[in-house]
Amino acid sequence: MLQTDSEFTKTRWICTVIGLGFYLVDIVTDVGLAVKYFLVGDLVWSGLTLVFVVVGSAVTQVFSYSWYRDDMRKPLVNSGRDGLISGMNRRGLIGLHVTQTGIFTRYYDLLKVGYRAVFSEPLGPVECPRDVHLALFGRATDLSMLKLFETFLESVPQLVLQLYIMLGHGHRSILQCICMVGSFINIAWAIVDYRRCLRRSLPQVREMPSGLPTFVYLLYKLLTITTHILSLSLFLVLSLYSTLGMAVVWLAGTVWAHWVRTDFCTSRGLERLYRIIVGVVLMFTFFNVKGQDTSWPMAVYYVLFALVNLAGPLLLVLVRPEVNDAEYFWPVTLLIFGGTVLGLACLLLYYTICHPRGKSLQADEVDGHMGGQERETETSDNTVRMRNFLQL
């Protein structure tokens, strides 16, 4: 019998639907805001708003297709050896991802198979074999990674841009606020979903428990990322040349990912692209790209992180003292200072008290033709990407 934490439950299926809804709202509101900027003649803002949407979507499609292609070559995933994945051959998958619908196909497949597994009437003495649940978690794992790519390539930069437009140019609109709220919710959902899928996919660690640990972890990530976004927005208000400093930080993260020799992708070209994405992620939050003990690098990262957050408001006051009279300056400054302190406190609380430790409980063996070693290999095929990917 499967243990509860090994089952793809109705709650998990519903959460997948909610995640899809957040993803759609985020994309639609961003595109709508870009169109609005265009109609009122703000062509630069329109173009930048749309660029983040296009880049985030394009990168996720590239990795989605690459993973489908890899799955075609795995006999345990494509056991029929008919060259088809999700009912399509390689040419069909290329067309699917060129039209930017690959991630929606993944959602459709997961929801369809998941619905049959958790809502349909049992067909025999065992309601749903363990292998089906493992396959469902494998699909959910891929989706969570793709959502994380999209979050840090689209939602997070979008928040920085819209905050700069709002604070630096005084441009405010209802659609802009909706867009920012949508990006914020998408960030929160993607981070927690990824964290839970990551720990669920690693057999040597316990699954992330619900309740207080998840809440503290969410606060830690949201507060640190949000305050950093606010601080970077103030740097942009100070001077657009701040983008050069951000580029240096991104380059440092990319070089670090290259230096530690990440091994996430099956091809050298995709591995380079992956390391570029790692650099973007490290601009906003700390991730463990090799799954090793990184206590000291993490401590150094958040010390520098706190200094950058404090430097944003201070430099703005020193260089442009007239901002003291701006209605946004003191509320934003208090949010940055208070959020940084509270976020780092939640970080310490999570890793000292709430962080799950120890080995996970393995699911019981079920009778069937597939041996334990073969099932273990199949599980590895479904989750190897997650084990080699960023670990929070």
Side-chain angles (χ1 to χ4, degrees), residues 177-195:
C177 293
I178 294 174
C179 172
M180 293 171 63
V181 170
S183 294
F184 184 81
I185 294 175
N186 198 45
I187 292 169
W189 188 270
I191 288 174
V192 172
D193 181 62
Y194 171 77
R195 174 68 175 187

Side-chain angles (χ1 to χ4, degrees), residues 65 81 103 153 195 283 302 320 339 365 384 386 391:
Y65 169 73
R81 298 187 179 182
I103 193 168
L153 293 174
R195 174 68 175 187
M283 289 177 62
Y302 277 110
R320 295 181 57 184
E365 294 288 334
V384 66
M386 184 64 85
Q391 299 190 43

